[in-house]
Amino acid sequence: MVLEMKVPSPGESITEVEIAQWLVADGDYVEKDQAIAEVDSDKATLELPAEASGVITLKAEEGDAVEVGAVVCLIDTSAEAPATTTYEGGDEGGGDANVEKNLKKEQAKTPDTGAKAPAETQKTYASGSASPAAKKVLAEKDIDPKTVTGTGRDGRITKDDAVNARPSMGTPGPGARGESRTKLSMLRRKVAERLVEAKNTTAMLTTFNEVNMQAIFDLRKEYKEDFKAKHGVGLGFMSFFTLAVVRALEMYPSVNSMIDGKEMVTFDYKDISIAVSGPKGLMVPVMRNVENLSFRGVESEVKRLAIRARDGQITVDEMTGGTFTISNGGVFGSMLSTPIINPPQSGILGMHNIVERPVVIDGGIVVAPIMFVALSYDHRIIDGKESVGFLVAVKEALEDPINILMNGDIKKALEM
């Protein structure tokens, strides 16, 4: 019996996926539930498990975009599992056949260099003129048609010529000038689309402030070892920032809102998206109902989601929704940035690195660990008063965490 394996739906709104990598070769024997491929959707990378044991026949290539429900491989369930013997040479085990198969495969990849050169094109008044479609493509790429050699009739520039045209990189220098091309994953392409969408559809502004992190440094120095020993997670900066954001969102609900047509939707819950760097690029998993989480709850959830993103196990549902985003560029050494809103949200907080700087406290100059913070917001529904007030509220909570975030009871807040 031959089983047709179809692409399962990764999520409600996803209609297409991309074959990122086959984990098996055509003709391999696979076991049921064995991971046979990695597929990229516009939100996550998922593993595709074999639905039965048997010999597999691949029906799609790596990099192919396939619709949900399309057949990507066949599994011959009547085939017997191969004997587990070690091949050491000769004809046994199909060694020569495999060598020949691989040779043909490599030859198929080798471009035909013996193709005939294109016939010389007679130059006429039409030589170098671009078709309307070619003009549009060249304009988008900001390439002068005069620099493109046309392959169409009488030297006309075709759309293919425009698509394949590359802008000049200047006069070649004395060194090597190689280049490589890598197809963007579906996830990376979707991230790019969303970033451009955010820039084009929101009235985005950014406001900045600075935070003296000394109080948090002192708390972590005193309690982080006991906190980790009791709860199994570290007492990091994310719990302080997340709970400070929850408080600020309570004070300024417009920052916890989004536009839906002609209406502003304000949420009474706080689902906080956290931007993390995964093997496939930027991912933004969501912590749900953070207003109900403690320091331990936030640290545990951040750790869980970060591990799942790093291991490529994050699901579409875990990255769906979110009412506000926190992005920590400081882990990469960023001093200051203007983070881009994660649509349809209306605000994102950017954390940055912590640097010892001279500051004035009570009329004297002291050295303190300072972090610059940034809030990018959609000015269509968030005014300057709310945006500045929100960031000041975050700053106040971080600089006085014992009284504002812990209600004066450190051990109770940390569940010590």
Side-chain angles (χ1 to χ4, degrees), residues 132-173:
K135 284 181 180 178
K136 181 179 179 182
V137 174
L138 291 175
E140 290 173 351
K141 299 169 77 170
D142 195 23
I143 296 177
D144 187 347
K146 295 178 181 178
T147 64
V148 180
T149 301
T151 61
R153 184 177 179 182
D154 295 333
R156 289 180 174 86
I157 299 174
T158 67
K159 182 180 179 181
D160 285 342
D161 295 331
V163 170
N164 295 326
R166 290 183 292 172
S168 171
M169 300 304 293
T171 304

mmCIF file of all heavy atoms in Angstrom, residues 132-173:
data_model
loop_
_atom_site.group_PDB
_atom_site.id
_atom_site.type_symbol
_atom_site.label_atom_id
_atom_site.label_comp_id
_atom_site.label_asym_id
_atom_site.label_seq_id
_atom_site.Cartn_x
_atom_site.Cartn_y
_atom_site.Cartn_z
ATOM 1 N N PRO A 132 7.347 47.694 -20.705
ATOM 2 C CA PRO A 132 6.723 48.338 -19.539
ATOM 3 C C PRO A 132 6.971 47.570 -18.240
ATOM 4 O O PRO A 132 7.260 48.172 -17.203
ATOM 5 C CB PRO A 132 5.238 48.356 -19.909
ATOM 6 C CG PRO A 132 5.234 48.398 -21.404
ATOM 7 C CD PRO A 132 6.408 47.558 -21.828
ATOM 8 N N ALA A 133 6.869 46.236 -18.307
ATOM 9 C CA ALA A 133 7.102 45.440 -17.098
ATOM 10 C C ALA A 133 8.552 45.546 -16.652
ATOM 11 O O ALA A 133 8.844 45.641 -15.451
ATOM 12 C CB ALA A 133 6.739 43.974 -17.357
ATOM 13 N N ALA A 134 9.476 45.548 -17.637
ATOM 14 C CA ALA A 134 10.901 45.669 -17.309
ATOM 15 C C ALA A 134 11.199 47.032 -16.706
ATOM 16 O O ALA A 134 11.987 47.156 -15.758
ATOM 17 C CB ALA A 134 11.743 45.438 -18.548
ATOM 18 N N LYS A 135 10.564 48.095 -17.238
ATOM 19 C CA LYS A 135 10.767 49.438 -16.696
ATOM 20 C C LYS A 135 10.369 49.501 -15.225
ATOM 21 O O LYS A 135 11.050 50.112 -14.403
ATOM 22 C CB LYS A 135 9.936 50.456 -17.498
ATOM 23 C CG LYS A 135 10.509 50.801 -18.855
ATOM 24 C CD LYS A 135 9.624 51.837 -19.536
ATOM 25 C CE LYS A 135 10.180 52.204 -20.916
ATOM 26 N NZ LYS A 135 9.306 53.187 -21.611
ATOM 27 N N LYS A 136 9.247 48.854 -14.905
ATOM 28 C CA LYS A 136 8.764 48.876 -13.522
ATOM 29 C C LYS A 136 9.746 48.186 -12.592
ATOM 30 O O LYS A 136 10.079 48.694 -11.513
ATOM 31 C CB LYS A 136 7.395 48.194 -13.447
ATOM 32 C CG LYS A 136 6.796 48.199 -12.044
ATOM 33 C CD LYS A 136 5.436 47.524 -12.032
ATOM 34 C CE LYS A 136 4.867 47.514 -10.618
ATOM 35 N NZ LYS A 136 3.547 46.822 -10.556
ATOM 36 N N VAL A 137 10.242 47.023 -13.011
ATOM 37 C CA VAL A 137 11.191 46.275 -12.186
ATOM 38 C C VAL A 137 12.485 47.053 -11.999
ATOM 39 O O VAL A 137 13.029 47.156 -10.898
ATOM 40 C CB VAL A 137 11.476 44.890 -12.799
ATOM 41 C CG1 VAL A 137 12.578 44.166 -12.019
ATOM 42 C CG2 VAL A 137 10.209 44.036 -12.822
ATOM 43 N N LEU A 138 12.989 47.634 -13.073
ATOM 44 C CA LEU A 138 14.244 48.398 -13.000
ATOM 45 C C LEU A 138 14.084 49.628 -12.117
ATOM 46 O O LEU A 138 15.001 50.004 -11.372
ATOM 47 C CB LEU A 138 14.695 48.801 -14.402
ATOM 48 C CG LEU A 138 15.164 47.658 -15.308
ATOM 49 C CD1 LEU A 138 15.459 48.173 -16.713
ATOM 50 C CD2 LEU A 138 16.401 46.969 -14.738
ATOM 51 N N ALA A 139 12.902 50.262 -12.189
ATOM 52 C CA ALA A 139 12.655 51.437 -11.352
ATOM 53 C C ALA A 139 12.645 51.052 -9.878
ATOM 54 O O ALA A 139 13.180 51.773 -9.030
ATOM 55 C CB ALA A 139 11.330 52.087 -11.752
ATOM 56 N N GLU A 140 12.035 49.904 -9.567
ATOM 57 C CA GLU A 140 11.995 49.439 -8.177
ATOM 58 C C GLU A 140 13.390 49.126 -7.657
ATOM 59 O O GLU A 140 13.685 49.315 -6.475
ATOM 60 C CB GLU A 140 11.106 48.194 -8.070
ATOM 61 C CG GLU A 140 9.629 48.469 -8.276
ATOM 62 C CD GLU A 140 8.797 47.200 -8.338
ATOM 63 O OE1 GLU A 140 9.408 46.101 -8.385
ATOM 64 O OE2 GLU A 140 7.551 47.295 -8.334
ATOM 65 N N LYS A 141 14.259 48.639 -8.550
ATOM 66 C CA LYS A 141 15.627 48.302 -8.153
ATOM 67 C C LYS A 141 16.587 49.473 -8.325
ATOM 68 O O LYS A 141 17.772 49.355 -8.005
ATOM 69 C CB LYS A 141 16.118 47.096 -8.968
ATOM 70 C CG LYS A 141 15.270 45.846 -8.746
ATOM 71 C CD LYS A 141 15.597 44.741 -9.741
ATOM 72 C CE LYS A 141 16.860 44.018 -9.404
ATOM 73 N NZ LYS A 141 17.053 42.799 -10.218
ATOM 74 N N ASP A 142 16.050 50.615 -8.819
ATOM 75 C CA ASP A 142 16.837 51.831 -9.035
ATOM 76 C C ASP A 142 18.042 51.546 -9.938
ATOM 77 O O ASP A 142 19.174 51.923 -9.643
ATOM 78 C CB ASP A 142 17.299 52.410 -7.695
ATOM 79 C CG ASP A 142 17.789 53.854 -7.840
ATOM 80 O OD1 ASP A 142 17.384 54.510 -8.812
ATOM 81 O OD2 ASP A 142 18.591 54.305 -6.996
ATOM 82 N N ILE A 143 17.770 50.881 -11.070
ATOM 83 C CA ILE A 143 18.820 50.554 -12.039
ATOM 84 C C ILE A 143 18.542 51.295 -13.339
ATOM 85 O O ILE A 143 17.414 51.278 -13.855
ATOM 86 C CB ILE A 143 18.878 49.032 -12.295
ATOM 87 C CG1 ILE A 143 19.266 48.284 -11.011
ATOM 88 C CG2 ILE A 143 19.861 48.695 -13.408
ATOM 89 C CD1 ILE A 143 19.275 46.778 -11.155
ATOM 90 N N ASP A 144 19.542 51.944 -13.869
ATOM 91 C CA ASP A 144 19.427 52.668 -15.134
ATOM 92 C C ASP A 144 19.338 51.651 -16.280
ATOM 93 O O ASP A 144 20.214 50.789 -16.426
ATOM 94 C CB ASP A 144 20.650 53.558 -15.327
ATOM 95 C CG ASP A 144 20.522 54.467 -16.552
ATOM 96 O OD1 ASP A 144 19.613 54.239 -17.374
ATOM 97 O OD2 ASP A 144 21.336 55.396 -16.660
ATOM 98 N N PRO A 145 18.281 51.715 -17.111
ATOM 99 C CA PRO A 145 18.151 50.774 -18.240
ATOM 100 C C PRO A 145 19.364 50.777 -19.166
ATOM 101 O O PRO A 145 19.648 49.772 -19.828
ATOM 102 C CB PRO A 145 16.890 51.261 -18.963
ATOM 103 C CG PRO A 145 16.102 51.974 -17.909
ATOM 104 C CD PRO A 145 17.118 52.612 -17.020
ATOM 105 N N LYS A 146 20.100 51.894 -19.214
ATOM 106 C CA LYS A 146 21.259 51.971 -20.090
ATOM 107 C C LYS A 146 22.362 51.010 -19.676
ATOM 108 O O LYS A 146 23.237 50.668 -20.478
ATOM 109 C CB LYS A 146 21.796 53.398 -20.114
ATOM 110 C CG LYS A 146 20.838 54.421 -20.723
ATOM 111 C CD LYS A 146 21.428 55.821 -20.666
ATOM 112 C CE LYS A 146 20.464 56.851 -21.243
ATOM 113 N NZ LYS A 146 21.013 58.221 -21.146
ATOM 114 N N THR A 147 22.315 50.567 -18.404
ATOM 115 C CA THR A 147 23.365 49.672 -17.911
ATOM 116 C C THR A 147 22.991 48.197 -18.088
ATOM 117 O O THR A 147 23.763 47.318 -17.728
ATOM 118 C CB THR A 147 23.642 49.931 -16.420
ATOM 119 O OG1 THR A 147 22.455 49.608 -15.650
ATOM 120 C CG2 THR A 147 24.009 51.382 -16.181
ATOM 121 N N VAL A 148 21.812 47.933 -18.676
ATOM 122 C CA VAL A 148 21.320 46.557 -18.825
ATOM 123 C C VAL A 148 21.386 46.146 -20.291
ATOM 124 O O VAL A 148 20.965 46.899 -21.177
ATOM 125 C CB VAL A 148 19.874 46.425 -18.305
ATOM 126 C CG1 VAL A 148 19.373 44.993 -18.472
ATOM 127 C CG2 VAL A 148 19.789 46.869 -16.849
ATOM 128 N N THR A 149 21.922 44.975 -20.541
ATOM 129 C CA THR A 149 21.976 44.424 -21.894
ATOM 130 C C THR A 149 20.720 43.602 -22.152
ATOM 131 O O THR A 149 20.433 42.652 -21.422
ATOM 132 C CB THR A 149 23.215 43.536 -22.081
ATOM 133 O OG1 THR A 149 24.390 44.311 -21.820
ATOM 134 C CG2 THR A 149 23.273 42.970 -23.500
ATOM 135 N N GLY A 150 19.968 43.986 -23.173
ATOM 136 C CA GLY A 150 18.734 43.283 -23.470
ATOM 137 C C GLY A 150 18.965 42.025 -24.278
ATOM 138 O O GLY A 150 19.828 41.989 -25.162
ATOM 139 N N THR A 151 18.190 41.012 -23.984
ATOM 140 C CA THR A 151 18.300 39.746 -24.730
ATOM 141 C C THR A 151 17.087 39.508 -25.614
ATOM 142 O O THR A 151 16.983 38.477 -26.270
ATOM 143 C CB THR A 151 18.433 38.563 -23.748
ATOM 144 O OG1 THR A 151 17.261 38.497 -22.924
ATOM 145 C CG2 THR A 151 19.667 38.713 -22.868
ATOM 146 N N GLY A 152 16.165 40.456 -25.607
ATOM 147 C CA GLY A 152 14.982 40.313 -26.443
ATOM 148 C C GLY A 152 15.282 40.626 -27.892
ATOM 149 O O GLY A 152 16.432 40.881 -28.292
ATOM 150 N N ARG A 153 14.248 40.639 -28.691
ATOM 151 C CA ARG A 153 14.390 40.882 -30.129
ATOM 152 C C ARG A 153 14.988 42.259 -30.363
ATOM 153 O O ARG A 153 14.547 43.255 -29.773
ATOM 154 C CB ARG A 153 13.034 40.776 -30.816
ATOM 155 C CG ARG A 153 13.106 40.924 -32.325
ATOM 156 C CD ARG A 153 11.736 40.738 -32.946
ATOM 157 N NE ARG A 153 11.811 40.905 -34.388
ATOM 158 C CZ ARG A 153 10.745 40.824 -35.192
ATOM 159 N NH1 ARG A 153 9.553 40.575 -34.676
ATOM 160 N NH2 ARG A 153 10.885 40.981 -36.500
ATOM 161 N N ASP A 154 16.026 42.297 -31.201
ATOM 162 C CA ASP A 154 16.731 43.537 -31.533
ATOM 163 C C ASP A 154 17.309 44.223 -30.301
ATOM 164 O O ASP A 154 17.473 45.447 -30.279
ATOM 165 C CB ASP A 154 15.806 44.510 -32.283
ATOM 166 C CG ASP A 154 15.395 43.968 -33.650
ATOM 167 O OD1 ASP A 154 16.168 43.169 -34.218
ATOM 168 O OD2 ASP A 154 14.311 44.337 -34.129
ATOM 169 N N GLY A 155 17.600 43.430 -29.233
ATOM 170 C CA GLY A 155 18.248 43.993 -28.056
ATOM 171 C C GLY A 155 17.313 44.618 -27.051
ATOM 172 O O GLY A 155 17.754 45.334 -26.134
ATOM 173 N N ARG A 156 16.016 44.382 -27.200
ATOM 174 C CA ARG A 156 15.071 44.935 -26.230
ATOM 175 C C ARG A 156 15.291 44.306 -24.851
ATOM 176 O O ARG A 156 15.651 43.139 -24.740
ATOM 177 C CB ARG A 156 13.636 44.684 -26.690
ATOM 178 C CG ARG A 156 13.206 45.513 -27.897
ATOM 179 C CD ARG A 156 11.766 45.181 -28.274
ATOM 180 N NE ARG A 156 11.268 46.041 -29.332
ATOM 181 C CZ ARG A 156 11.429 45.820 -30.620
ATOM 182 N NH1 ARG A 156 12.109 44.757 -31.019
ATOM 183 N NH2 ARG A 156 10.938 46.660 -31.523
ATOM 184 N N ILE A 157 15.024 45.099 -23.812
ATOM 185 C CA ILE A 157 15.181 44.619 -22.425
ATOM 186 C C ILE A 157 13.865 43.982 -21.987
ATOM 187 O O ILE A 157 12.814 44.644 -21.950
ATOM 188 C CB ILE A 157 15.544 45.782 -21.483
ATOM 189 C CG1 ILE A 157 16.865 46.427 -21.904
ATOM 190 C CG2 ILE A 157 15.647 45.294 -20.030
ATOM 191 C CD1 ILE A 157 17.209 47.680 -21.108
ATOM 192 N N THR A 158 13.922 42.712 -21.684
ATOM 193 C CA THR A 158 12.732 41.975 -21.251
ATOM 194 C C THR A 158 12.586 42.034 -19.731
ATOM 195 O O THR A 158 13.482 42.487 -19.002
ATOM 196 C CB THR A 158 12.823 40.511 -21.683
ATOM 197 O OG1 THR A 158 13.894 39.881 -20.954
ATOM 198 C CG2 THR A 158 13.066 40.391 -23.174
ATOM 199 N N LYS A 159 11.448 41.551 -19.248
ATOM 200 C CA LYS A 159 11.223 41.514 -17.802
ATOM 201 C C LYS A 159 12.251 40.617 -17.122
ATOM 202 O O LYS A 159 12.756 40.934 -16.029
ATOM 203 C CB LYS A 159 9.807 41.016 -17.491
ATOM 204 C CG LYS A 159 9.492 41.011 -16.004
ATOM 205 C CD LYS A 159 8.074 40.522 -15.725
ATOM 206 C CE LYS A 159 7.805 40.511 -14.224
ATOM 207 N NZ LYS A 159 6.436 40.018 -13.909
ATOM 208 N N ASP A 160 12.591 39.483 -17.775
ATOM 209 C CA ASP A 160 13.605 38.588 -17.204
ATOM 210 C C ASP A 160 14.953 39.291 -17.092
ATOM 211 O O ASP A 160 15.685 39.100 -16.110
ATOM 212 C CB ASP A 160 13.739 37.323 -18.047
ATOM 213 C CG ASP A 160 12.574 36.363 -17.848
ATOM 214 O OD1 ASP A 160 11.870 36.515 -16.826
ATOM 215 O OD2 ASP A 160 12.379 35.478 -18.693
ATOM 216 N N ASP A 161 15.293 40.097 -18.100
ATOM 217 C CA ASP A 161 16.545 40.862 -18.038
ATOM 218 C C ASP A 161 16.536 41.786 -16.827
ATOM 219 O O ASP A 161 17.539 41.932 -16.121
ATOM 220 C CB ASP A 161 16.730 41.697 -19.305
ATOM 221 C CG ASP A 161 16.899 40.836 -20.555
ATOM 222 O OD1 ASP A 161 17.408 39.708 -20.424
ATOM 223 O OD2 ASP A 161 16.516 41.297 -21.650
ATOM 224 N N ALA A 162 15.381 42.415 -16.580
ATOM 225 C CA ALA A 162 15.266 43.348 -15.454
ATOM 226 C C ALA A 162 15.351 42.626 -14.118
ATOM 227 O O ALA A 162 15.998 43.085 -13.179
ATOM 228 C CB ALA A 162 13.958 44.130 -15.561
ATOM 229 N N VAL A 163 14.672 41.478 -14.039
ATOM 230 C CA VAL A 163 14.695 40.699 -12.788
ATOM 231 C C VAL A 163 16.110 40.240 -12.466
ATOM 232 O O VAL A 163 16.546 40.251 -11.307
ATOM 233 C CB VAL A 163 13.738 39.489 -12.889
ATOM 234 C CG1 VAL A 163 13.942 38.541 -11.717
ATOM 235 C CG2 VAL A 163 12.295 39.965 -12.960
ATOM 236 N N ASN A 164 16.850 39.829 -13.488
ATOM 237 C CA ASN A 164 18.214 39.316 -13.281
ATOM 238 C C ASN A 164 19.266 40.415 -13.184
ATOM 239 O O ASN A 164 20.422 40.141 -12.860
ATOM 240 C CB ASN A 164 18.590 38.361 -14.421
ATOM 241 C CG ASN A 164 17.728 37.112 -14.423
ATOM 242 O OD1 ASN A 164 17.339 36.628 -13.373
ATOM 243 N ND2 ASN A 164 17.413 36.601 -15.602
ATOM 244 N N ALA A 165 18.884 41.652 -13.491
ATOM 245 C CA ALA A 165 19.845 42.748 -13.460
ATOM 246 C C ALA A 165 20.238 43.072 -12.022
ATOM 247 O O ALA A 165 19.415 43.007 -11.110
ATOM 248 C CB ALA A 165 19.261 43.987 -14.136
ATOM 249 N N ARG A 166 21.484 43.409 -11.839
ATOM 250 C CA ARG A 166 21.984 43.777 -10.513
ATOM 251 C C ARG A 166 22.605 45.159 -10.571
ATOM 252 O O ARG A 166 23.249 45.509 -11.571
ATOM 253 C CB ARG A 166 23.030 42.772 -10.035
ATOM 254 C CG ARG A 166 22.441 41.414 -9.696
ATOM 255 C CD ARG A 166 23.498 40.476 -9.168
ATOM 256 N NE ARG A 166 24.461 40.117 -10.214
ATOM 257 C CZ ARG A 166 25.575 39.438 -9.996
ATOM 258 N NH1 ARG A 166 25.877 39.062 -8.777
ATOM 259 N NH2 ARG A 166 26.386 39.148 -10.993
ATOM 260 N N PRO A 167 22.433 45.962 -9.530
ATOM 261 C CA PRO A 167 23.020 47.299 -9.537
ATOM 262 C C PRO A 167 24.532 47.227 -9.525
ATOM 263 O O PRO A 167 25.123 46.276 -9.015
ATOM 264 C CB PRO A 167 22.493 47.925 -8.235
ATOM 265 C CG PRO A 167 22.157 46.753 -7.366
ATOM 266 C CD PRO A 167 21.700 45.675 -8.290
ATOM 267 N N SER A 168 25.166 48.231 -10.104
ATOM 268 C CA SER A 168 26.622 48.267 -10.164
ATOM 269 C C SER A 168 27.211 48.392 -8.772
ATOM 270 O O SER A 168 26.690 49.119 -7.919
ATOM 271 C CB SER A 168 27.074 49.456 -11.024
ATOM 272 O OG SER A 168 28.482 49.627 -10.936
ATOM 273 N N MET A 169 28.292 47.654 -8.526
ATOM 274 C CA MET A 169 28.980 47.716 -7.241
ATOM 275 C C MET A 169 30.236 48.580 -7.334
ATOM 276 O O MET A 169 31.100 48.532 -6.470
ATOM 277 C CB MET A 169 29.358 46.304 -6.779
ATOM 278 C CG MET A 169 28.176 45.379 -6.603
ATOM 279 S SD MET A 169 26.930 46.011 -5.461
ATOM 280 C CE MET A 169 27.851 45.944 -3.925
ATOM 281 N N GLY A 170 30.333 49.379 -8.401
ATOM 282 C CA GLY A 170 31.469 50.274 -8.554
ATOM 283 C C GLY A 170 32.625 49.595 -9.271
ATOM 284 O O GLY A 170 32.581 48.416 -9.641
ATOM 285 N N THR A 171 33.700 50.338 -9.460
ATOM 286 C CA THR A 171 34.896 49.811 -10.127
ATOM 287 C C THR A 171 35.528 48.731 -9.273
ATOM 288 O O THR A 171 35.788 48.952 -8.092
ATOM 289 C CB THR A 171 35.916 50.938 -10.358
ATOM 290 O OG1 THR A 171 35.283 51.974 -11.112
ATOM 291 C CG2 THR A 171 37.129 50.411 -11.109
ATOM 292 N N PRO A 172 35.765 47.535 -9.838
ATOM 293 C CA PRO A 172 36.341 46.444 -9.050
ATOM 294 C C PRO A 172 37.686 46.826 -8.448
ATOM 295 O O PRO A 172 38.498 47.508 -9.074
ATOM 296 C CB PRO A 172 36.495 45.305 -10.076
ATOM 297 C CG PRO A 172 35.522 45.636 -11.147
ATOM 298 C CD PRO A 172 35.459 47.124 -11.217
ATOM 299 N N GLY A 173 37.909 46.394 -7.190
ATOM 300 C CA GLY A 173 39.176 46.650 -6.526
ATOM 301 C C GLY A 173 40.155 45.527 -6.777
ATOM 302 O O GLY A 173 39.874 44.599 -7.536
#
